[in-house]
Amino acid sequence: MAAFTPDSEADPDFRLVTNTFVTLFWRRNLLDECTAWLDEHGYQVTSLDAAAWSSKGDLLRGIGAALDFPDYYGCNFDAFNDCFGDVAAYAAYGIDPEATGLVLVFTDFDVFAAAHPESAHVILDIVADNARRAALFGRRVMCLVHSSDPQIELAPVGAMPIMWNEAEQSNASRRAG
């Protein structure tokens, strides 16, 4: 995939990765609109329900299965970093080579993060780091994180902050109404 062009600056994919490779969403309809746009523009959108994970092992197995990691995948963070790094480099697994890029979507991530804060941070950090590395080679990888908690705050990952999407940047925009 070629790098973005100056004409891309108004496109959702460009805006999502301008400041961070991991972006928060509170309203499901905004997330759904965004993922629909990305899907229509050739991205491989891989969605996972983080609320279903009750352990670090569930998280690692779930992502590994969704991205078709090889049989030798060890279901630990080092193995995830290795295999996701391969996916970001467009290995023989995890992403359709014809796709515009990969969008990893975690729904209800706040549920998992509340129960397993360290694992939640580590997985996002690995994803962000590999997404940044992929961008250096003109490959597009991003992570969209849905939270039912509009006040969630996550530590920076991949040496970059996790930011709210444009429509929900202000606290007022995330007040239940």
Side-chain angles (χ1 to χ4, degrees):
M1 181 75 224
F4 289 106
T5 65
D7 295 339
S8 304
E9 289 185 33
D11 293 338
D13 53 350
F14 180 87
R15 292 191 323 263
L16 283 168
V17 298
T18 297
N19 296 312
T20 183
F21 293 102
V22 179
T23 305
L24 282 168
F25 285 80
W26 173 56
R27 291 189 204 117
R28 283 299 289 266
N29 65 319
L30 287 175
L31 177 64
D32 293 344
E33 288 172 16
C34 184
T35 55
W37 188 95
L38 292 163
D39 184 60
E40 289 168 10
H41 287 81
Y43 283 87
Q44 176 181 316
V45 178
T46 301
S47 296
L48 296 150
D49 178 10
W53 302 327
S54 59
S55 69
K56 175 177 93 171
D58 290 344
L59 162 110
L60 293 166
R61 282 187 294 278
I63 298 172
L67 295 177
D68 197 27
F69 283 1
D71 291 339
Y72 59 80
Y73 170 55
C75 278
N76 59 61
F77 287 130
D78 288 336
F80 176 78
N81 187 42
D82 290 343
C83 288
F84 194 73
D86 291 345
V87 170
Y90 287 74
Y93 57 88
I95 185 170
D96 178 348
E98 300 300 315
T100 302
L102 174 65
V103 181
L104 194 56
V105 180
F106 297 135
T107 57
D108 294 313
F109 194 74
D110 55 304
V111 175
F112 181 77
H116 305 280
E118 184 176 337
S119 294
H121 181 264
V122 170
I123 206 72
L124 294 180
D125 194 49
I126 292 170
V127 169
D129 189 47
N130 281 289
R132 179 184 46 78
R133 191 172 306 124
L136 296 173
F137 298 102
R139 298 181 182 113
R140 299 180 188 178
V141 174
M142 65 187 82
C143 183
L144 309 182
V145 178
H146 166 260
S147 171
S148 295
D149 175 1
Q151 301 305 315
I152 193 170
E153 292 185 24
L154 299 171
V157 294
M160 299 177 84
I162 297 175
M163 300 173 67
W164 285 99
N165 66 85
E166 290 177 343
E168 297 178 327
Q169 282 180 343
S170 72
N171 285 338
S173 68
R174 296 189 310 275
R175 289 201 174 89

